[in-house]
């Protein structure tokens, strides 16, 4: 089974409703969770919550696993979900101004965006969507089989470098499940969403605005429900300081603020609550830090992934390039080596007499060569590997 199991036993009240989410922890991974929690706390403790950070883009692959044609959702529907995610995680959704004043100062811009991958694991161009027919007409969503081609599903792309989202029919009335970090098989890490709740096209109210996916990705980045890890618990810790304790779910409801379940007003408009999609509208600053801590500790492969970079379509676009940021130079020579190749390069700096003044082995990216002690004059920067040899004329003043 995946790290997020479907619950067999739920609260009686829940059995009468469409469940937006049944993500729970696996007890077998209790020690792993405890170790991860220490890393999360350490990262949060050493990073300023008020700091503005560079926006991180998460590469996404959507695996559509279908039995009936209506389950083989359109590319437009898939793109509508990516659009929702980019609004919800950047605090650009239309619901923000209507959030009650008591919560306005904790609404977070998570500084996280999402793209459909433009490069597959083999380096080939892709639209970030796979389509797989399955003979499972009952509903393959929420089962281990959805993650495996040999069982009628679709094998994941590298789960360290891609956020894998499987979209399919679910048996019963479940909306989605997700893998908590560090739990379950590596090749089953990701998110699963009912095709009727994915995006904003051909979806079914009240979970028709793409918030099921927003919610499940919250779990994927280690967010709990506001009532904590246990779905039958009440007023438990969700490990986030600025979310008031809660023990009420508002399935198929959109309450009117304020409502109380643990002595404080419930943040029922939080994406991690159980409410109607139209009622949701925020992550908190504390939830943001917990997600970023997870990204920077256990899901770091997403930071290193180049799957959002377009694949060059011509030989000319594939050629490496040296970009010098300021020429003439004075104290330092700053340049960037742009290349699709990940191999090491040699750099050499020669003066006007052809004498070598500097050499080093580098990777692609930005670099500097100190020039303070070099005489004024003409220099030549050479960058080469077994296939290419690039040169730039440099003037030192």
């Amino acid at each position: 089974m995946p790290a997020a199991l479907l619950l067999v036993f739920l609260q009686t009240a829940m059995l009468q409703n469409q469940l937006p989410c049944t993500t729970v922890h696996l007890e077998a991974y209790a020690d792993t969770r405890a170790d991860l929690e220490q890393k999360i706390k350490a990262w949060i403790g050493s990073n300023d919550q008020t700091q503005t950070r560079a926006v991180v883009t998460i590469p996404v692959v959507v695996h559509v696993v279908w039995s009936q044609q209506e389950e083989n959702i359109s590319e437009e529907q898939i793109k509508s979900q990516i659009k929702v995610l980019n609004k919800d995680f950047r605090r650009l959704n239309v619901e923000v101004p209507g959030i009650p004043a008591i919560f306005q100062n904790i609404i977070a811009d998570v500084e996280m965006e999402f793209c459909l991958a433009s490069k597959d694991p083999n380096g080939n161009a892709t639209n970030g969507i796979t389509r797989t027919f399955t003979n499972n007409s009952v509903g393959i969503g929420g089962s281990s089989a959805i993650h495996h081609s040999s069982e009628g599903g679709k094998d994941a792309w590298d789960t360290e470098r891609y956020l894998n989202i499987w979209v399919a029919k679910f048996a019963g009335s479940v909306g989605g499940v997700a893998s908590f970090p560090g739990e379950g098989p590596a090749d089953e890490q990701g998110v699963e969403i009912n095709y009727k709740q994915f995006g904003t096209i051909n979806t079914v109210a009240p979970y028709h605005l793409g918030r099921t996916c927003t919610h499940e990705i919250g779990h994927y980045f280690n967010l709990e429900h506001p009532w904590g890890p246990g779905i039958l618990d009440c007023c438990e810790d969700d490990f986030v300081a600025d979310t008031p304790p809660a023990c009420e779910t508002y399935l198929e409801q959109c309450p009117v603020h304020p409502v109380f379940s643990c002595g404080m007003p419930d943040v029922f408009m939080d994406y991690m609550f159980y409410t109607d999609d139209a009622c949701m509208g925020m992550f908190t600053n504390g939830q943001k830090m917990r997600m970023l801590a997870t990204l920077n500790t256990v899901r770091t492969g997403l930071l290193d992934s180049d799957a959002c970079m377009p694949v060059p379509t011509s030989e000319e676009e594939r050629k490496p390039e040296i970009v010098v940021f300021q020429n003439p130079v004075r104290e330092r020579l700053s340049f960037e080596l742009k290349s699709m190749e990940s191999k090491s390069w040699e750099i050499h700096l020669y003066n006007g007499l052809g004498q070598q003044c500097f050499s080093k082995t580098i990777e692609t990216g930005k670099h500097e060569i100190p020039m303070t002690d070099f005489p004024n004059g003409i220099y030549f920067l050479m960058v080469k590997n077994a296939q290419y040899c690039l040169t730039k004329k440099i003037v030192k003043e």
Side-chain angles (χ1 to χ4, degrees), residues 13-53:
M14 291 185 181
L15 293 176
Q16 309 303 318
N17 295 279
Q18 173 89 4
L19 286 172
C21 165
T22 55
T23 299
V24 295
H25 284 294
L26 291 175
E27 289 307 314
Y29 293 90
D31 291 342
T32 301
R33 288 204 311 274
D35 291 342
L36 175 59
E37 199 59 37
Q38 292 301 315
K39 294 179 181 178
I40 296 294
K41 290 179 179 178
W43 191 92
I44 292 174
S46 60
N47 286 271
D48 183 359
Q49 179 173 294
T50 63
Q51 174 187 347
T52 300
R53 296 173 175 80

Side-chain angles (χ1 to χ4, degrees), residues 45-119:
S46 60
N47 286 271
D48 183 359
Q49 179 173 294
T50 63
Q51 174 187 347
T52 300
R53 296 173 175 80
V55 176
V56 175
T57 302
I58 306 298
V60 173
V61 55
V62 176
H63 304 295
V64 180
V65 183
W66 62 281
S67 175
Q68 301 298 317
Q69 189 58 47
E70 69 171 13
E71 301 161 19
N72 189 17
I73 62 175
S74 69
E75 186 170 346
E76 289 72 25
Q77 183 173 345
I78 293 169
K79 288 181 176 178
S80 75
Q81 181 64 72
I82 300 299
K83 186 176 181 179
V84 170
L85 295 176
N86 286 335
K87 288 184 176 181
D88 289 352
F89 279 77
R90 293 303 315 280
R91 192 182 164 170
L92 298 174
N93 51 295
V94 297
E95 295 85 1
V96 168
I99 301 294
I102 189 175
F103 302 128
Q104 280 288 331
N105 66 337
I106 61 171
I107 305 174
D109 171 3
V110 181
E111 296 173 310
M112 192 182 292
E113 295 179 351
F114 301 82
C115 80
L116 284 171
S118 55
K119 185 184 300 184

Side-chain angles (χ1 to χ4, degrees), residues 38-251:
Q38 292 301 315
K39 294 179 181 178
I40 296 294
K41 290 179 179 178
W43 191 92
I44 292 174
S46 60
N47 286 271
D48 183 359
Q49 179 173 294
T50 63
Q51 174 187 347
T52 300
R53 296 173 175 80
V55 176
V56 175
T57 302
I58 306 298
V60 173
V61 55
V62 176
H63 304 295
V64 180
V65 183
W66 62 281
S67 175
Q68 301 298 317
Q69 189 58 47
E70 69 171 13
E71 301 161 19
N72 189 17
I73 62 175
S74 69
E75 186 170 346
E76 289 72 25
Q77 183 173 345
I78 293 169
K79 288 181 176 178
S80 75
Q81 181 64 72
I82 300 299
K83 186 176 181 179
V84 170
L85 295 176
N86 286 335
K87 288 184 176 181
D88 289 352
F89 279 77
R90 293 303 315 280
R91 192 182 164 170
L92 298 174
N93 51 295
V94 297
E95 295 85 1
V96 168
I99 301 294
I102 189 175
F103 302 128
Q104 280 288 331
N105 66 337
I106 61 171
I107 305 174
D109 171 3
V110 181
E111 296 173 310
M112 192 182 292
E113 295 179 351
F114 301 82
C115 80
L116 284 171
S118 55
K119 185 184 300 184
D120 73 12
N122 296 317
N124 300 315
T126 179
N127 64 355
I129 302 169
T130 71
R131 298 183 183 276
T132 303
F133 174 78
T134 181
N135 288 318
N136 186 329
S137 60
V138 176
I140 197 170
S143 71
S144 178
I146 197 173
H147 306 104
H148 304 288
S149 299
S150 60
E151 300 177 36
K154 176 62 178 176
D155 290 340
W157 289 6
D158 183 350
T159 56
E160 291 190 0
R161 296 176 56 240
Y162 297 85
L163 165 53
N164 286 258
I165 301 178
W166 288 266
V167 179
K169 178 182 178 180
F170 279 63
S173 56
V174 172
V177 292
S179 305
F180 273 102
E183 296 188 13
D187 60 355
E188 296 186 6
Q189 290 290 300
V191 169
E192 304 166 42
I193 306 295
N194 190 316
Y195 76 99
K196 294 181 179 180
Q197 296 178 216
F198 193 74
T200 60
I201 299 173
N202 296 326
T203 48
V204 179
Y207 307 116
H208 60 304
L209 300 178
R211 266 53 193 273
T212 300
C213 193
T214 300
H215 177 105
E216 297 302 338
I217 290 175
H219 285 316
Y220 173 83
F221 284 115
N222 211 23
L223 293 188
E224 306 284 353
H225 296 121
W227 49 85
I231 199 167
L232 302 182
D233 293 336
C234 181
C235 305
E236 295 295 323
D237 187 11
D238 66 348
F239 311 112
V240 176
D242 60 4
T243 55
C247 66
E248 185 64 74
T249 65
Y250 301 99
L251 289 167

